[in-house]
Amino acid sequence: MIINRLVIYGYGKLVNKTIELNHPLQIIYGANEAGKSTIIDFIKSILFGFQSKKQAKHGQYVPRNNAPYGGEIFFQEDGINYRLVRTKGRLTPGDIKFYNADTNTQLPNQNYEKLISPIDRETFDEIFYYGDFSDKDIFGLKTDELRARIQQIGVPAAPKWLDIQKNIDKQAADIYKKKGRKPVLNLQLKSLEALRQKVSNAKLNYPQYQKLNQHLIEAKNQLQEEEKTHSLLQAKFQKSQKLELALPKIQKLNKLSKIDNKQVKPGFEQSDWQEFNRLSVKLANFKKQSADLKKRINELSESQNTNDSLNFYQKNKTDILNLTKQLPKMRDVLSSYKFYSNQKTDVQTEINRISNSIPRNNSNQLPTVLTNEMESQITELLQKQKQLQNQISQISKNHDQRSKNSQPTGKDRTPIILISLGVLSFILSFVLKASFGWILIILGIILIALGTFRNIQKPISNSNSQQKNASAKTINLDPTFSLEVVRQKIDAIQKTGKLSGIPPENWLYVQSQLKQLTQKQNDFKNAENQENISKETLDSFIGKWQFSNNYLDFGSDLTYSQMFELISNQVSSWKQAESKSQMDSQNVDEFKKSFEDAKVSELKALAQYQNFLTSRGLTNEQEFNERFNQQAKIKQDVLQAKNLKSELIDQGFKDVANQDLEKIKSEINHDQTLFNDSQNQITELSKRVSTIEVQIDDLVKNGEYSQLKQQLADQESLILSYVQEYAALSLSSQWIDNALNIASKGRLPKILSLANKYFQTLTKSAYKDIEFDERIKVVRSDGESFQINELSKGTLEQLYLSLIFSMTVGFSSEYRLPIIIDDGFVNFDEQRRAAAFELLNKISEKTQVIYFTANLDRKVSEDNLLKL
Amino acid sequence: MKFIHAADLHLDSPFRGLISGGLPSDLEKKILDSTFTSFKNLVDDALFQNVDFVLLAGDLFDRNDQSLRSKIFLDQQLERLNQKHIPVFIIFGNHDFLQGGKDSLGFPDNTKVFGPKPETKYLTLKSGQRVAIHGFSFNKQWITKPIIKDYPVADQSADWNIGMLHGSADSVKSQDNYAPFTLSDLQSKNYDYWALGHIHKRQSLDNKGLINYSGNTQGRHINETGKKGYLLVESNGKSLSTSFHSTAPIIWQKILIPVSSKAANTLIKNIFDFLHKQEFKLTTFIRIVLDFKGPISDELINKLNDGEVEEVVRDQSLKDWQNVNFFVTSLKFETSQQIKFSQIDQKYFDEAKLQTLTSKNLEEIKREFMKYDFIQDFLSSSIDQKDIFNLAAQEILSDTLITGGNKSDN
């Protein structure tokens, strides 16, 4: 685009102003406040749209005096002349009208939009507008930064993208840095190493298993070997043990071998000993026998002579036996005696009883028995007395009786009730059949009895009263007199019978008792008599035994029975003694005979006994025993030796006699030691085998390895997820980079070559090249390169200009908009400014340059200049 | 004839991609036991089915890394088969390559190991049929030579010929360091069946299903999804048929969940509702991929990018894993949301994207972590690179949201 003309309707100070731009490098000169900034802003506003109050940092340039806001720009693009009109509209950017300036036909607004895009005000400011240079400090930039700055220019939203890229790079760096220690992935990789180490340690399991297996096999082999050895040793040891057991036998055998069979003498066999024994015993027996017999004979003889008692008995035998015959009869007498004694006692008791039952009279004496006649009178007299007494009282009571005669004697029902109750109770006892039935029976009986009794009494009382009435009718004598007569008769009886103080009613009773008493007394006397007779008999009998009171000590306290007993016993013992004595005599004879025999046998036995001894050259038993024991021992030894020998041969020990016992003993010990050692070895090896087996078992069961492997796999997965993220972030960063690069379309090289060219121009070939490595360097014509900080300020400025212009020009090949410079070289010195203008000239060959300045340079030609 | 073809047991090798630990100990145990459980299930089946023999085509464990547990376990399981007189034929692969003699392995009598040079082992079945099995074991980690060329052609005197090979087919994308072969190499031998190992994804190389990779017996990371187990091969007259049987106790699975919510907590609820409806039979380790229909709120994007949503979902799924049989190990999202720039910027970014998101550009980063093989592998894997590129775009997007530099179209 080449701007030809500006038509300002109203913008800031400028109203209704037209400005023609004729030269590719158009220098617009105006003093300060002349409106340079206004025109610059006008151009931007018309091209890109009006700004809102907020957007317009330098103000909206609203014209004064209500002049119409906006204006026109005439420009040429690709050979066609256009006219763009922008005025204030409803929206902030304003309304545009787009015309083909040649034909003056209106063109659709889109055409303009298409034409101007993608450049907007912002982009334009970035790329095509130059304010004060001095604050554009690009010298310190590294190539990357320069590139970035270029990229920034190339993409309008580039800053945002660079921010995003920075964010992404930061995220990436948080995950991983080349030699970092803190980022996550670095840490995870480190733990991976540790985990791998753990796994490989655990892995050693397998070779360890193989090693252990090997050890196990070895140990088992060793064990087997040892067991073989052991059984051999065991056999040997058992043999030694046997030998050890046999040792005493061997020793004994050795000792016994000294004893000779020749020492055995005949006649000392067991049978001989038994014989001797027998003979001794026989002899002893016979000796004893004869001695015993002799003793017995002597004893018996002795006893016979010294029995005084027996002698006495024998002297008085006849008498004694006669008396003894009487004994049974005496026993009978004794019985009688006892009987009568008892009887006496009983009768006495009766007498006492009866006597006690008789009341005593006033003198405390027993009454006497009356005659029968008197006795019978008593009753009669007493009755009469009573009668008379009643009569007397009755007369006095007659009055009373008559008044009371009307009273009916009520029927007395009580007996009936009682009887019926009794019957009832009787019946109940049977019906209930209870355990207390007998109570009911008894109760029944009682009740019935009571009832009956009551009933009977009625008639008696009735008859009594009848009798009284009868008597009252018949005897009408003077009762008082009769009574006195009776009384006198009674008194007489009383006197006779010594009955004073005893009520007459009792007299009959007393009489009967007295009679009994008399009877009893008689009985007593009888008994006594009999008793005495018996006693006499007994005493006489006893007396007859007096002659034997040395042997029959009756003492003073003995009863008759006891005495009889004594007699009986003594007599039987006498009899016994007698018979014994007789027997003894018989025995003595027999004994004497036996004694003779015994003596003969004894002598015989003695002879045999002695013969036995002498035939063996011995004198006594002791010698025989000694000799016999000797012989026995010898024989025993010989037998033992024989047995031992055969035993040892059985056990496998031939010719062991006379072997060195010490040697044998030491051999046995040696074998035992070996055996024990072997035993221990086996125990050790067995232990070892089981230990190894346990270890192997542990290894096999150990799940740690699997777990660790899974952990390792998990760790690797985790790392891969970070790697994935890191890779993605790296790629995103690159992506942004590439996008920006593409956007800059490889502008950098182009820009760089332009920069070179411009730098050459500006420095008038003092420098020939700019190097863009790590840092920007310049190469002098002689080939020497200088860092930026080594350059003079002037050169720096030249370099700077080269760079920035190269950038703009680089862009303008695509986006052909004019470059607007607002007094950029104001701080340059004259020389530099001249060079700069020269550069601008060069640039303007490619792109329109509009240069606004407040300072006029003489060197500028009039063609370029426009004065405001 | 009935036999089992399995490979790549990788006993006692850990799961990958579980980033943080902190799993409940019963889940941890299940994980540690998983490779063992799977193989034990295989042996149980072999015994139950009373198969004629078992083929194990390599990578039974990591020889360098072999744990005692895996050795003892393998011995035990082989012994179980030995008790029932079921022979086992083993070739060792690039992980369990055998350097020493095969006599010192301590395997029971029923177990036959192939040596480093291709050899043939014969077996007479109970039915009387004779089987020839051809194979070889790796004696080092990389074998670049095509050993397949040294395999004999089918032995006519045998009723059945079976080949065992641990290696990479040229049709399957893998490096050429593992006894490389082509499909025609295999077919040229005229075997009845090829029991292959090395590739963990179960697949057939031919259309008859007789040249097979049985796949590994337990998936160990999110890229080994689906059921894992063994192939049961049965004869029917003169033809063979193959069926797959699952033995792995833990299944990995990627699940695409369509979501349209904008707020984080409803999103989480929707995720769990969706997952609960699935009714997983086996314990399943899930990567959720959120398929957003429509724009997402800025707040949600941030939460997703921060990993906040992933963490919450993961922790919540962990609480109840035994009842619901799943555990969410990771959560990713795809969004069509673009970064909007001003016109001047848009095309630069689009062009720069093409220029930047290349695997070549990852080279420098790769060099940074040169010491770590696992990182090298990761940065070289195209799937993982793609993830990185997606993540790069998301980083910029989230950062623009933060700085407010995103301009909308209108």
Side-chain angles (χ1 to χ4, degrees):
Chain A
M1 175 197 289
I2 299 173
I3 300 177
N4 300 325
R5 185 190 303 161
L6 306 171
V7 179
I8 306 173
Y9 296 162
Y11 206 76
K13 315 187 233 258
L14 304 170
V15 175
N16 227 354
K17 188 138 178 121
T18 305
I19 299 167
E20 301 280 345
L21 303 171
N22 302 314
H23 206 270
L25 171 59
Q26 183 68 57
I27 302 172
I28 300 177
Y29 165 73
N32 288 328
E33 303 302 316
K36 293 192 294 295
S37 317
T38 314
I39 295 171
I40 292 169
D41 207 78
F42 172 79
I43 294 170
K44 286 190 209 170
S45 290
I46 301 298
L47 286 180
F48 304 113
F50 299 125
Q51 284 186 310
S52 66
K53 242 191 203 142
K54 216 167 153 194
Q55 289 167 320
K57 298 227 171 57
H58 302 287
Q60 285 176 301
Y61 293 96
V62 177
R64 304 175 293 175
N65 308 331
N66 290 320
Y69 188 59
E72 301 174 15
I73 290 181
F74 285 81
F75 64 88
Q76 186 192 43
E77 171 105 13
D78 289 331
I80 305 172
N81 290 310
Y82 296 100
R83 176 179 160 225
L84 177 67
V85 182
R86 192 184 288 269
T87 50
K88 191 176 167 106
R90 196 171 48 89
L91 299 166
T92 310
D95 293 338
I96 59 165
K97 285 204 198 88
F98 191 50
Y99 301 94
N100 182 324
D102 296 327
T103 62
N104 214 14
T105 42
Q106 187 167 9
L107 301 167
N109 290 354
Q110 282 127 281
N111 288 23
Y112 175 70
E113 302 294 339
K114 236 162 102 189
L115 198 144
I116 197 76
S117 82
I119 308 293
D120 54 12
R121 199 189 193 112
E122 217 179 309
T123 321
F124 184 83
D125 277 341
E126 279 285 340
I127 303 173
F128 297 99
Y129 173 72
Y130 287 87
D132 188 3
F133 287 125
S134 59
D135 59 9
K136 285 206 184 168
D137 182 13
I138 62 169
F139 287 126
L141 295 176
K142 301 182 217 170
T143 317
D144 289 348
E145 288 163 338
L146 184 60
R147 200 161 99 250
R149 186 65 72 84
I150 293 165
Q151 284 173 339
Q152 278 191 342
I153 299 167
V155 177
K160 292 195 189 75
W161 292 112
L162 289 168
D163 271 344
I164 290 169
Q165 191 187 40
K166 228 196 282 177
N167 196 11
I168 286 173
D169 288 341
K170 185 177 176 300
Q171 285 180 57
D174 282 342
I175 294 178
Y176 180 77
K177 256 191 237 167
K178 209 169 199 159
K179 289 198 182 119
R181 273 181 301 153
K182 279 207 231 152
V184 188
L185 185 52
N186 293 75
L187 290 172
Q188 291 297 337
L189 287 170
K190 201 139 176 245
S191 358
L192 181 71
E193 288 305 320
L195 197 51
R196 278 186 173 173
Q197 190 58 46
K198 256 176 144 179
V199 168
S200 75
N201 284 343
K203 192 174 109 177
L204 292 173
N205 265 349
Y206 190 67
Q208 200 186 0
Y209 166 77
Q210 286 182 313
K211 201 166 64 152
L212 281 177
N213 222 16
Q214 192 62 35
H215 288 170
L216 183 66
I217 292 169
E218 277 169 16
K220 277 192 172 160
N221 283 341
Q222 273 186 319
L223 185 61
Q224 222 177 15
E225 283 302 316
E226 195 55 48
E227 277 171 344
K228 264 192 236 159
T229 316
H230 181 78
S231 44
L232 285 173
L233 283 176
Q234 192 172 40
K236 193 152 184 286
F237 179 58
Q238 277 171 345
K239 204 159 178 229
S240 302
Q241 275 183 319
K242 262 206 255 177
L243 185 59
E244 198 177 15
L245 286 172
L247 262 184
K249 284 188 196 155
I250 295 170
Q251 274 178 323
K252 198 129 203 216
L253 184 62
N254 282 347
K255 260 205 292 186
L256 291 173
S257 56
K258 295 182 200 131
I259 298 178
D260 218 314
N261 212 0
K262 286 190 205 136
Q263 292 179 333
V264 174
K265 288 210 177 80
F268 291 94
E269 302 302 313
Q270 190 65 27
S271 53
D272 294 312
W273 188 81
Q274 279 171 347
E275 178 70 23
F276 182 68
N277 238 21
R278 195 179 61 80
L279 290 175
S280 317
V281 165
K282 201 162 118 194
L283 179 63
N285 279 347
F286 284 137
K287 266 193 180 157
K288 188 169 186 287
Q289 208 176 36
S290 26
D292 279 347
L293 282 169
K294 190 106 201 180
K295 193 165 154 226
R296 292 295 298 284
I297 290 167
N298 288 341
E299 272 177 358
L300 283 172
S301 307
E302 185 80 24
S303 73
Q304 274 188 326
N305 292 336
T306 56
N307 202 343
D308 290 330
S309 172
L310 181 61
N311 290 340
F312 171 79
Y313 172 68
Q314 281 174 331
K315 263 197 213 151
N316 300 304
K317 192 169 171 182
T318 331
D319 289 333
I320 290 171
L321 285 178
N322 279 339
L323 279 173
T324 309
K325 271 191 209 145
Q326 289 177 20
L327 209 54
K329 194 165 145 227
M330 287 296 123
R331 288 191 204 272
D332 288 339
V333 171
L334 181 62
S335 300
S336 298
Y337 173 73
K338 282 187 179 160
F339 174 74
Y340 288 120
S341 277
N342 288 339
Q343 201 179 45
K344 236 172 72 180
T345 316
D346 288 343
V347 169
Q348 182 62 50
T349 311
E350 282 292 295
I351 289 169
N352 290 343
R353 186 182 63 78
I354 291 165
S355 171
N356 286 341
S357 73
I358 299 170
R360 303 289 189 273
N361 61 15
N362 285 346
S363 320
N364 211 26
Q365 286 173 328
L366 272 174
T368 50
V369 181
L370 295 168
T371 59
N372 288 344
E373 202 184 326
M374 277 192 181
E375 217 183 289
S376 58
Q377 276 180 3
I378 291 172
T379 315
E380 217 183 297
L381 286 170
L382 286 176
Q383 268 185 354
K384 253 195 177 161
Q385 191 188 39
K386 203 147 195 162
Q387 250 182 355
L388 291 167
Q389 278 174 337
N390 280 344
Q391 264 182 340
I392 296 166
S393 67
Q394 218 170 27
I395 292 165
S396 64
K397 277 189 196 166
N398 262 346
H399 298 295
D400 297 337
Q401 260 194 333
R402 277 184 198 139
S403 63
K404 281 186 189 162
N405 254 350
S406 60
Q407 238 183 359
T409 50
K411 251 205 175 133
D412 192 358
R413 289 219 179 95
T414 335
I416 300 170
I417 294 168
L418 286 172
I419 290 170
S420 44
L421 277 177
V423 170
L424 188 65
S425 140
F426 226 93
I427 293 168
L428 272 177
S429 76
F430 287 117
V431 166
L432 291 181
K433 285 199 183 140
S435 62
F436 54 87
W438 59 273
I439 298 174
L440 289 171
I441 292 170
I442 292 172
L443 186 65
I445 293 168
I446 294 170
L447 287 170
I448 290 169
L450 265 174
T452 322
F453 186 64
R454 280 286 202 102
N455 221 7
I456 292 166
Q457 277 206 324
K458 260 204 324 193
I460 291 174
S461 62
N462 280 339
S463 71
N464 263 350
S465 61
Q466 271 177 6
Q467 240 182 3
K468 280 191 206 147
N469 286 335
S471 316
K473 283 179 192 153
T474 49
I475 305 169
N476 259 338
L477 304 164
D478 186 10
T480 316
F481 177 74
S482 304
L483 189 64
E484 192 55 42
V485 170
V486 168
R487 260 203 201 128
Q488 275 180 0
K489 281 192 180 159
I490 289 171
D491 283 345
I493 294 172
Q494 189 182 317
K495 214 176 188 182
T496 318
K498 295 190 183 147
L499 292 162
S500 62
I502 299 169
E505 303 90 80
N506 295 342
W507 287 355
L508 282 174
Y509 170 71
V510 166
Q511 287 305 301
S512 74
Q513 295 301 96
L514 282 172
K515 275 190 204 156
Q516 273 187 21
L517 183 67
T518 315
Q519 179 65 39
K520 290 291 172 199
Q521 283 169 337
N522 282 340
D523 287 343
F524 184 83
K525 276 200 181 90
N526 283 341
E528 208 172 34
N529 281 341
Q530 290 299 325
E531 192 191 28
N532 288 337
I533 293 169
S534 300
K535 191 170 191 296
E536 263 179 47
T537 316
L538 288 172
D539 285 340
S540 146
F541 179 72
I542 294 295
K544 285 186 188 149
W545 283 94
Q546 285 294 30
F547 69 95
S548 53
N549 59 357
N550 284 343
Y551 304 100
L552 284 173
D553 186 8
F554 288 122
S556 47
D557 291 346
L558 294 178
T559 61
Y560 286 116
S561 330
Q562 281 172 336
M563 282 193 255
F564 289 161
E565 203 58 42
L566 192 65
I567 294 168
S568 165
N569 287 344
Q570 183 59 47
V571 168
S572 48
S573 78
W574 272 327
K575 279 189 182 157
Q576 271 178 1
E578 192 184 37
S579 54
K580 184 174 175 289
S581 172
Q582 278 171 347
M583 260 176 62
D584 284 350
S585 308
Q586 271 183 334
N587 284 345
V588 166
D589 291 335
E590 272 181 34
F591 286 154
K592 277 192 176 145
K593 194 170 177 288
S594 304
F595 178 74
E596 292 301 326
D597 291 338
K599 217 50 190 182
V600 166
S601 306
E602 187 189 326
L603 286 171
K604 244 204 229 167
L606 182 64
Q608 281 178 332
Y609 180 83
Q610 281 174 341
N611 190 30
F612 184 92
L613 284 174
T614 43
S615 65
R616 286 164 179 68
L618 305 164
T619 44
N620 58 22
E621 186 182 342
Q622 196 186 7
E623 277 184 26
F624 174 75
N625 281 338
E626 273 174 17
R627 191 69 67 80
F628 179 77
N629 286 337
Q630 265 179 9
Q631 283 294 306
K633 187 161 184 318
I634 289 167
K635 276 186 244 173
Q636 198 183 47
D637 287 348
V638 166
L639 183 62
Q640 201 177 38
K642 190 164 148 229
N643 284 342
L644 280 175
K645 205 160 187 187
S646 66
E647 262 177 40
L648 287 171
I649 288 172
D650 282 344
Q651 285 178 350
F653 301 109
K654 281 195 240 176
D655 304 327
V656 286
N658 308 322
Q659 272 204 3
D660 185 359
L661 289 171
E662 286 309 313
K663 182 159 162 268
I664 292 174
K665 277 203 171 136
S666 75
E667 249 185 56
I668 289 171
N669 281 338
H670 178 70
D671 286 342
Q672 179 156 36
T673 315
L674 282 180
F675 177 73
N676 286 341
D677 286 346
S678 177
Q679 190 76 42
N680 289 339
Q681 186 71 349
I682 284 178
T683 314
E684 277 306 310
L685 285 174
S686 300
K687 257 202 278 187
R688 186 140 186 272
V689 165
S690 2
T691 311
I692 296 174
E693 279 173 342
V694 164
Q695 278 181 319
I696 288 177
D697 204 40
D698 273 349
L699 264 189
V700 173
K701 292 217 179 83
N702 191 351
E704 205 202 342
Y705 187 52
S706 300
Q707 272 183 325
L708 280 175
K709 278 213 288 190
Q710 186 61 56
Q711 276 179 28
L712 184 61
D714 292 348
Q715 178 76 347
E716 286 176 355
S717 300
L718 180 62
I719 285 171
L720 288 178
S721 76
Y722 282 122
V723 167
Q724 186 189 51
E725 215 183 313
Y726 177 74
L729 287 168
S730 299
L731 288 180
S732 329
S733 181
Q734 272 185 49
W735 187 352
I736 292 175
D737 238 14
N738 287 342
L740 292 173
N741 279 344
I742 291 165
S744 352
K745 266 228 169 97
R747 233 163 255 150
L748 186 59
K750 194 156 164 211
I751 286 166
L752 294 180
S753 74
L754 276 175
N756 266 338
K757 241 198 319 197
Y758 295 158
F759 191 56
Q760 266 183 23
T761 310
L762 279 177
T763 59
K764 295 217 188 306
S765 302
Y767 289 86
K768 65 174 179 177
D769 205 359
I770 308 174
E771 274 179 0
F772 293 90
D773 298 320
E774 249 327 272
R775 298 206 158 257
I776 303 173
K777 281 192 268 202
V778 294
V779 182
R780 208 167 48 186
S781 50
D782 61 0
E784 193 155 341
S785 55
F786 296 92
Q787 296 254 9
I788 294 202
N789 49 359
E790 295 172 285
L791 299 173
S792 67
K793 188 163 181 294
T795 319
L796 271 174
E797 282 165 356
Q798 282 168 330
L799 178 59
Y800 173 68
L801 281 175
S802 320
L803 287 169
I804 55 170
F805 281 130
S806 61
M807 280 198 287
T808 307
V809 173
F811 277 114
S812 66
S813 59
E814 268 177 74
Y815 308 107
R816 307 206 56 210
L817 282 165
I819 297 173
I820 298 178
I821 305 174
D822 190 357
D823 217 349
F825 306 140
V826 64
N827 294 319
F828 283 27
D829 65 28
E830 202 183 304
Q831 212 179 348
R832 296 282 191 269
R833 203 178 299 146
F837 272 112
E838 199 189 319
L839 194 54
L840 283 181
N841 265 319
K842 228 185 168 84
I843 289 166
S844 65
E845 282 165 22
K846 291 233 170 75
T847 310
Q848 180 179 27
V849 181
I850 309 173
Y851 187 88
F852 291 81
T853 183
N855 304 307
L856 197 57
D857 218 3
R858 276 176 291 144
K859 287 264 170 78
V860 176
S861 88
E862 287 289 329
D863 292 341
N864 304 48
L865 194 59
L866 180 74
K867 282 197 197 161
L868 287 174
Chain B
M1 175 176 71
K2 188 159 59 163
F3 67 90
I4 284 178
H5 162 208
D8 299 290
L9 311 181
H10 285 289
L11 290 174
D12 215 6
S13 77
F15 278 15
R16 304 227 148 247
L18 302 176
I19 289 175
S20 42
L23 297 177
S25 59
D26 50 359
L27 183 56
E28 210 176 79
K29 187 173 191 313
K30 191 159 187 174
I31 291 169
L32 293 178
D33 289 348
S34 55
T35 50
F36 296 102
T37 310
S38 186
F39 186 60
K40 184 182 172 296
N41 289 341
L42 187 153
V43 173
D44 288 347
D45 282 1
L47 294 169
F48 181 72
Q49 296 259 19
N50 206 12
V51 298
D52 292 303
F53 54 91
V54 174
L55 304 178
L56 298 177
D59 280 358
L60 275 57
F61 48 78
D62 192 329
R63 177 87 53 189
N64 279 336
D65 215 12
Q66 185 180 25
S67 72
L68 206 47
R69 186 185 176 194
S70 63
K71 165 139 186 55
I72 306 267
F73 172 80
L74 186 59
D75 288 347
Q76 281 172 343
Q77 297 304 314
L78 292 172
E79 180 56 35
R80 285 176 75 200
L81 293 168
N82 188 31
Q83 291 294 321
K84 279 285 188 73
H85 309 292
I86 296 177
V88 180
F89 294 90
I90 295 180
I91 57 167
F92 288 119
N94 54 305
H95 279 286
D96 54 356
F97 61 89
L98 181 63
Q99 274 177 330
K102 46 191 172 94
D103 301 319
S104 62
L105 289 171
F107 289 148
D109 293 335
N110 67 331
T111 306
K112 324 280 179 208
V113 174
F114 288 86
K117 287 202 173 50
E119 55 178 303
T120 306
K121 294 191 188 286
Y122 292 92
L123 165 71
T124 306
L125 306 177
K126 291 185 213 97
S127 63
Q129 290 182 323
R130 199 148 160 273
V131 181
I133 303 173
H134 316 273
F136 85 98
S137 291
F138 274 51
N139 59 355
K140 46 191 196 297
Q141 200 176 359
W142 294 296
I143 294 188
T144 49
K145 268 177 64 186
I147 305 270
I148 179 62
K149 306 260 190 252
D150 296 334
Y151 274 64
V153 284
D155 182 346
Q156 298 304 321
S157 72
D159 296 290
W160 300 100
N161 277 275
I162 297 173
M164 293 179 73
L165 180 48
H166 186 96
S168 52
D170 59 353
S171 62
V172 180
K173 291 209 173 85
S174 186
Q175 294 101 316
D176 290 328
N177 291 335
Y178 303 107
F181 59 88
T182 64
L183 181 59
S184 48
D185 284 339
L186 300 182
Q187 286 167 327
S188 68
K189 304 295 175 188
N190 277 328
Y191 295 162
D192 300 295
Y193 184 87
W194 272 99
L196 302 175
H198 181 63
I199 299 298
H200 294 175
K201 184 168 159 52
R202 182 172 63 253
Q203 55 193 286
S204 262
L205 295 184
D206 70 330
N207 46 17
K208 285 195 218 148
L210 296 174
I211 300 180
N212 299 325
Y213 281 104
S214 61
N216 57 354
T217 48
Q218 167 63 53
R220 291 168 309 140
H221 53 82
I222 193 59
N223 292 327
E224 295 179 350
T225 55
K227 289 196 181 148
K228 298 285 182 183
Y230 63 88
L231 295 174
L232 181 69
V233 184
E234 296 178 273
S235 70
N236 192 354
K238 287 230 192 288
S239 61
L240 295 174
S241 60
T242 313
S243 55
F244 166 70
H245 295 260
S246 160
T247 57
I250 299 179
I251 308 289
W252 292 84
Q253 197 158 337
K254 288 183 191 165
I255 297 186
L256 189 68
I257 302 183
V259 278
S260 56
S261 44
K262 307 231 175 122
N265 41 3
T266 48
L267 173 66
I268 291 170
K269 187 182 170 302
N270 289 347
I271 289 170
F272 277 99
D273 286 343
F274 184 88
L275 289 175
H276 284 134
K277 277 203 209 100
Q278 303 306 307
E279 292 185 12
F280 299 101
K281 300 270 181 326
L282 292 167
T283 304
T284 309
F285 281 18
I286 300 174
R287 166 176 289 179
I288 295 175
V289 181
L290 296 174
D291 184 18
F292 282 101
K293 313 258 180 235
I296 329 171
S297 68
D298 297 352
E299 177 215 347
L300 187 55
I301 289 191
N302 281 336
K303 284 216 172 97
L304 286 166
N305 272 334
D306 280 346
E308 211 179 296
V309 176
E310 182 183 64
E311 208 176 305
V312 169
V313 170
R314 185 179 170 279
D315 287 345
Q316 199 170 327
S317 77
L318 207 49
K319 276 187 213 149
D320 206 21
W321 73 272
Q322 271 178 327
N323 289 335
V324 295
N325 264 341
F326 67 79
F327 164 48
V328 177
T329 57
S330 55
L331 185 144
K332 307 251 175 239
F333 66 100
E334 280 170 8
T335 167
S336 54
Q337 199 134 333
Q338 293 293 339
I339 312 166
K340 298 279 194 300
F341 305 98
S342 69
Q343 280 179 322
I344 197 174
D345 304 342
Q346 188 66 54
K347 54 179 185 170
Y348 301 144
F349 271 84
D350 292 343
E351 213 178 304
K353 181 178 179 177
L354 291 173
Q355 206 181 68
T356 320
L357 302 183
T358 64
S359 68
K360 201 152 165 278
N361 275 344
L362 289 171
E363 288 300 317
E364 197 186 312
I365 298 173
K366 262 172 99 172
R367 251 175 286 144
E368 199 63 55
F369 301 105
M370 211 157 52
K371 319 201 259 181
Y372 304 98
D373 284 343
F374 72 101
I375 299 181
Q376 296 301 303
D377 291 340
F378 174 73
L379 291 171
S380 311
S381 134
S382 55
I383 300 171
D384 294 315
Q385 285 182 350
K386 211 159 142 255
D387 284 339
I388 293 174
F389 298 154
N390 281 338
L391 192 57
Q394 283 169 6
E395 291 288 353
I396 294 182
L397 180 63
S398 65
D399 277 350
T400 50
L401 292 174
I402 293 166
T403 58
N406 201 15
K407 291 191 188 149
S408 54
D409 255 343
N410 295 317

